[in-house]
């Protein structure tokens, strides 16, 4: 059973930075693409970013492009999301999710970490 | 980015069949995926590639897709099926992007 555990969330002021981590276990992490998906309070799901298994393929939603950076350390089975220039509208629960047999869906999710951007 | 359109809410009585639709031009070219999310929990994949069911997902959940509309069908709805359901697909206007529908709240009366 895939296990994904996010951490790093918290309260940050507008314009600030935060780095999220997601530790993966119980599957061959280096062989799968990974995503970040977020959910604002009381709202729907929003895809944030994707990184391929070989780290060279990265994609971002327009809403975060140029501010967020997705990365991974396959030696530590860990996914990261560096978030800079944070805005109040970035307030959300951030989930890491494992890509399925193709890159374009999510077959396992972590429990999420809450990021609150507020002064 | 393209948008996937879902009804905001669907209500059914226990034992009845619930159908939740998802519409977008992208669905004529890309697979539909469905997720169930209960309050305070992470989403759970229940249908992939239009109609495939992951192991452990009850047979009462099924999916289909035709043209620009995908449909999630829950046969013999149970009280425990009350949840938010999201469809998802690849974005037809942006390569290597994905998009979600707005979500449908299923209420079991």
């Amino acid at each position: 059973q895939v296990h994904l555990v996010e951490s790093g969330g918290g309260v940050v002021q507008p314009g600030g930075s935060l780095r999220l981590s997601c530790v993966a276990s119980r599957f061959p992490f280096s062989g799968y693409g990974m995503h970040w998906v977020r959910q604002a309070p009381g709202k729907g799901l929003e895809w944030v970013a994707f990184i391929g298994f070989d780290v060279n393929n990265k994609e971002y939603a327009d809403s975060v492009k140029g501010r967020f950076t997705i990365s991974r350390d396959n030696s530590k089975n860990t996914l990261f999301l560096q978030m800079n220039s944070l805005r109040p509208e970035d307030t959300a629960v951030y989930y890491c999710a494992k890509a399925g047999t193709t890159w374009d869906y999510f077959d396992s999710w972590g429990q999420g970490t809450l990021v609150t951007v507020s002064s | 980015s393209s948008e996937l359109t879902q009804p905001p809410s669907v209500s059914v009585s226990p034992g009845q069949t619930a159908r939740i639709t998802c519409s977008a031009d992208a669905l004529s070219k890309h697979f539909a995926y469905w997720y169930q999310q209960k309050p305070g929990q992470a989403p759970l994949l229940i249908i992939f590639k239009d109609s495939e069911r992951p192991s452990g997902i009850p047979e009462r959940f099924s999916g289909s897709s035709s043209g620009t509309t995908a449909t999630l069908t829950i046969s013999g709805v149970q009280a425990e099926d009350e949840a938010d359901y999201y469809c998802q697909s690849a974005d037809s206007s942006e390569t290597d992007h994905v998009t979600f529908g707005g979500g449908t709240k299923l209420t079991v009366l």
Side-chain angles (χ1 to χ4, degrees):
Chain A
Q1 190 81 349
V2 170
H3 196 50
L4 300 168
V5 179
E6 303 94 335
S7 62
V11 180
V12 60
Q13 291 188 339
S17 298
L18 214 54
R19 189 193 198 203
L20 305 183
S21 299
C22 171
V23 177
S25 59
R26 306 176 193 171
F27 72 100
F29 179 73
S30 61
Y32 287 90
M34 296 292 295
H35 298 265
W36 287 99
V37 178
R38 69 184 180 182
Q39 186 170 35
K43 302 297 185 181
L45 301 170
E46 180 188 15
W47 171 76
V48 173
F50 165 77
I51 185 168
F53 65 88
D54 65 352
V55 314
N56 291 323
N57 182 15
K58 300 179 184 181
E59 296 290 340
Y60 300 91
D62 291 345
S63 58
V64 306
K65 189 174 291 186
R67 301 187 299 122
F68 290 12
T69 301
I70 189 171
S71 62
R72 64 191 296 165
D73 184 340
N74 286 340
S75 69
K76 297 182 179 179
N77 287 358
T78 304
L79 175 72
F80 302 101
L81 186 67
Q82 177 66 44
M83 304 186 295
N84 299 331
S85 303
L86 282 161
R87 306 166 179 168
E89 55 264 37
D90 295 319
T91 294
V93 173
Y94 284 73
Y95 296 100
C96 72
K98 171 183 168 290
T101 53
T102 54
W103 68 271
D104 60 342
Y105 73 104
F106 324 96
D107 70 0
S108 301
W109 299 64
Q111 282 305 301
T113 186
L114 176 62
V115 172
T116 302
V117 184
S118 173
S119 55
Chain B
S1 63
S2 62
E3 296 181 352
L4 303 179
T5 301
Q6 300 180 234
S9 63
V10 169
S11 299
V12 295
S13 299
Q16 291 190 326
T17 296
R19 293 181 180 86
I20 299 173
T21 58
C22 176
S23 299
D25 288 345
L27 296 176
S28 64
K29 293 176 282 188
H30 301 290
F31 287 120
Y33 303 90
W34 292 92
Y35 304 88
Q36 176 194 67
Q37 187 180 34
K38 296 182 179 179
Q41 297 184 16
L44 173 70
L45 177 70
I46 56 173
I47 295 291
F48 66 102
K49 296 185 179 179
D50 291 345
S51 59
E52 301 293 322
R53 197 171 47 248
S55 62
I57 301 301
E59 291 183 5
R60 64 179 182 275
F61 292 92
S62 63
S64 62
S65 186
S66 177
T68 59
T69 300
T71 303
L72 171 69
T73 301
I74 310 172
S75 304
V77 167
Q78 300 181 6
E80 66 198 51
D81 299 332
E82 185 163 290
D84 293 324
Y85 291 85
Y86 294 90
C87 63
Q88 175 255 308
S89 185
D91 193 316
S92 63
S93 61
E94 296 272 3
T95 58
D96 294 343
H97 286 201
V98 300
T99 188
F100 287 96
T104 298
K105 171 66 177 178
L106 175 67
T107 300
V108 182
L109 301 171

